[in-house]
Amino acid sequence: MMPKKLLLPGVAGSHRPLRRPSRATLPHRRGVVLIMALVCLVLVTVLGGTLLRWAAMEHKFLRAKEDESQARWLAEASLERAAARLTDDADYRGETWDIAASELPLPQPARVRLVVKSLDGPDRRRSIEVDVEYPFESVTPARVHKEVVFALPSRATP
């Protein structure tokens, strides 16, 4: 009995038979499939590593932005603190304000340096400079510097 010939599917009138692979070509095909699988595995590993590196960089960037925002808020609060102190005491010259980690929303300490200087002129103005370092003594702290001019309230005359 003769083996049945296979015809090419979808080709009308095709009389060319499909041949089954011989046993000699099967190990070669298995090797190609193994190599293709390894190449795909390497590509997926490289892609995964790249995504992890990107996520780590994004986390670091967001953390730096968060620290910068906290430093800006501390600078604004420090300017308000200096203005309040100047309102009570016109001779206030500034201070260094160490803020414990327990007093801040993020568990990191901060250092604020306030410097108040008198400006020339009869209008009783003061220059307030604030420097903030947050987190204090960190390898990469956010640093903010602000300077404003504050007009002392006029003295009440009796």
Side-chain angles (χ1 to χ4, degrees), residues 75-76 78-79 113-119 126-132 144-150:
E76 290 296 325
S78 299
L79 289 172
R113 189 175 65 88
L114 287 164
V115 176
V116 179
K117 298 176 187 171
S118 295
L119 297 176
R126 303 288 189 268
S127 167
I128 304 172
E129 288 184 36
V130 61
D131 290 302
V132 177
V144 173
H145 174 84
K146 286 195 173 202
E147 185 174 350
V148 297
V149 174
F150 179 76

Side-chain angles (χ1 to χ4, degrees), residues 73-123:
W73 281 106
L74 286 169
E76 290 296 325
S78 299
L79 289 172
E80 290 177 17
R81 177 183 175 120
R85 295 283 305 268
L86 277 171
T87 302
D88 292 340
D89 179 13
D91 294 327
Y92 174 68
R93 295 291 169 234
E95 63 186 297
T96 298
W97 182 23
D98 288 326
I99 305 168
S102 60
E103 297 177 36
L104 295 171
L106 300 174
Q108 310 242 12
R111 173 168 280 175
V112 178
R113 189 175 65 88
L114 287 164
V115 176
V116 179
K117 298 176 187 171
S118 295
L119 297 176
D120 293 334
D123 54 355

Side-chain angles (χ1 to χ4, degrees), residues 28-112:
H28 175 68
R29 286 188 181 173
R30 285 186 193 146
V32 170
V33 170
L34 180 62
I35 290 172
M36 292 299 289
L38 287 174
V39 167
C40 288
L41 182 63
V42 167
L43 289 175
V44 167
T45 302
V46 168
L47 181 63
T50 302
L51 288 175
L52 283 174
R53 186 178 300 130
W54 176 79
M57 286 179 10
E58 188 71 18
H59 180 266
K60 188 176 179 180
F61 173 76
L62 291 174
R63 182 63 185 208
K65 283 294 187 188
E66 187 176 41
D67 289 349
E68 186 180 325
S69 293
Q70 183 65 43
R72 278 197 310 265
W73 281 106
L74 286 169
E76 290 296 325
S78 299
L79 289 172
E80 290 177 17
R81 177 183 175 120
R85 295 283 305 268
L86 277 171
T87 302
D88 292 340
D89 179 13
D91 294 327
Y92 174 68
R93 295 291 169 234
E95 63 186 297
T96 298
W97 182 23
D98 288 326
I99 305 168
S102 60
E103 297 177 36
L104 295 171
L106 300 174
Q108 310 242 12
R111 173 168 280 175
V112 178

